[in-house]
Amino acid sequence: MADTHRTPPLGSLRVFVAAAQTGSVTAAAAQLHLTHGAVSHQLRGLQDYLGVALFERNGRGLKLTVQGTAYAAQVARALADIGNATEKLIASRDYRRLRVSCMPSFAARWLLPRLGAFVTNQHDLDVEVQSSALQADIKGGEADIALRFGYGHYPGLSCRLLMKDWYYPVCSPEFMNSHPLSSPQQLIGLVLLRSNDELWQPWFNAAGVDIEEPQRGTVFDDSSLMLMAAASGQGVALARHTLAVDDLARGRLIRPFAMALESPLSYYFVCRLADEQQAAVAAFREWLFREAATYHPPEGRLASSPSN
């Protein structure tokens, strides 16, 4: 067996090749869906491990050293070989376990409440739900299917629009009883709950009210947790329709206002091109799109996103 003690971690090699090909830590981070700090940390760790300078600073970018250039070419070829071997292996296997990657909020609020119906009718198939804010590497075989909330740009993968989404304020019935809301302007001074990267300002603009983006208060990195806080009466939350629709139907949450703003992002079904016709992938896709067909836009006044 070959000695692998001098082989660096595969993750750091992926980061190195991305940085070498883009010439930028920022671009590599965007490509790999990592933070700028995580990429810098991986590159420093790899150079420390090897004891060789792979990059030299070139203004704001990165420039490969002579040794780094040679190493990047060899590593890129090796990673490509690993990817090709993985694709062939996955394409030839008998699917007994289907790995589905999606955001934690979507898994908790939309997928899992419906998934039991699919699993019940698939006695010979196990489903593994991978809920993480970090996107799984579908091409590299980390998951078989991904349900992505984005713009639909996933080069080299099969990508189909699953559902659109909308934003609107929600609160508990108890909160509404103690804070009667007849106009969006009355939100001033109330606790406005929000999640990372989902701002209130676009909804304020669509509703035609002069309110600035909240700067204080609780911010959640998981929209599902934010809706739990709203349901317990902690404030008014800016909710995505897909995540709030079941709580609205059960009366745990209510909508104070009719205005709903279309999100510039949508949900997409993503898988490898070679797997589109795999029996398990096709069965899950057909079930998922049947479920999505029962999902409808929110009632009320709908506004298009300024990004659309």
Side-chain angles (χ1 to χ4, degrees):
M1 183 178 293
D3 181 7
T4 59
H5 290 295
R6 297 298 296 171
T7 303
L10 185 60
S12 66
L13 294 177
R14 285 178 58 196
V15 170
F16 167 60
V17 169
Q21 292 175 342
T22 61
S24 164
V25 171
T26 300
Q31 182 183 107
L32 299 173
H33 305 287
L34 296 172
T35 65
H36 186 283
V39 170
S40 296
H41 177 74
Q42 291 276 10
L43 294 178
R44 285 195 301 270
L46 179 61
Q47 291 187 115
D48 291 344
Y49 181 90
L50 298 172
V52 175
L54 301 173
F55 294 99
E56 58 186 31
R57 280 292 172 182
N58 181 28
R60 293 187 176 181
L62 294 174
K63 181 180 179 181
L64 288 166
T65 62
V66 174
Q67 291 170 304
T69 300
Y71 190 56
Q74 294 172 357
V75 171
R77 286 194 297 270
L79 291 178
D81 288 341
I82 292 172
N84 291 334
T86 302
E87 287 282 354
K88 291 179 181 178
L89 180 64
I90 291 173
S92 66
R93 78 182 184 185
D94 178 21
Y95 272 88
R96 301 290 299 175
R97 178 176 293 273
L98 191 66
R99 299 164 301 162
V100 181
S101 168
C102 62
M103 296 170 61
S105 57
F106 187 75
R109 292 275 166 168
W110 197 92
L111 180 62
L112 293 183
R114 295 163 174 77
L115 187 60
F118 175 77
V119 174
T120 299
N121 294 319
Q122 298 290 331
H123 302 292
D124 60 343
L125 177 65
D126 293 328
V127 177
E128 175 185 324
V129 178
Q130 302 175 354
S131 60
S132 173
L134 296 176
Q135 293 190 1
D137 181 6
I138 301 298
K139 290 182 181 179
E142 291 181 356
D144 305 305
I145 291 169
L147 306 180
R148 297 286 185 242
F149 188 55
Y151 294 101
H153 306 314
Y154 306 105
L157 293 169
S158 172
C159 176
R160 305 188 187 191
L161 175 64
L162 179 64
M163 295 185 296
K164 293 185 177 182
D165 215 340
W166 288 262
Y167 292 99
Y168 46 67
V170 297
C171 63
S172 70
E174 294 76 16
F175 188 92
M176 186 67 171
N177 287 336
S178 59
H179 302 82
L181 294 170
S182 59
S183 166
Q185 198 70 32
Q186 293 174 310
L187 291 171
I188 296 176
L190 297 183
V191 176
L192 301 183
L193 307 174
R194 60 200 191 279
S195 58
N196 285 334
D197 301 323
E198 295 181 345
L199 304 179
W200 275 88
Q201 196 66 60
W203 188 88
F204 290 151
N205 294 341
V209 293
D210 185 17
I211 305 177
E212 295 185 356
E213 181 67 32
Q215 300 299 318
R216 300 190 60 189
T218 308
V219 180
F220 299 84
D221 63 0
D222 185 332
S223 297
S224 181
L225 298 178
M226 178 190 66
L227 293 180
M228 290 176 62
S232 67
Q234 296 182 32
V236 183
L238 184 66
R240 292 207 306 271
H241 184 53
T242 49
L243 308 186
V245 63
D246 288 348
D247 277 350
L248 290 168
R250 291 173 173 82
R252 289 194 289 261
L253 292 171
I254 60 174
R255 292 175 58 193
F257 314 112
M259 169 61 69
L261 176 65
E262 184 177 352
S263 170
L265 309 180
S266 299
Y267 291 96
Y268 292 88
F269 179 95
V270 180
C271 69
R272 286 176 290 273
L273 293 169
D275 289 348
E276 284 185 296
Q277 303 308 316
Q278 286 282 354
V281 172
F284 187 84
R285 181 179 62 242
E286 291 171 6
W287 166 80
L288 188 70
F289 275 81
R290 285 197 302 270
E291 288 292 325
T294 67
Y295 163 82
H296 302 291
E299 297 180 353
R301 189 156 54 98
L302 306 183
S304 298
S305 167
S307 298
N308 286 344

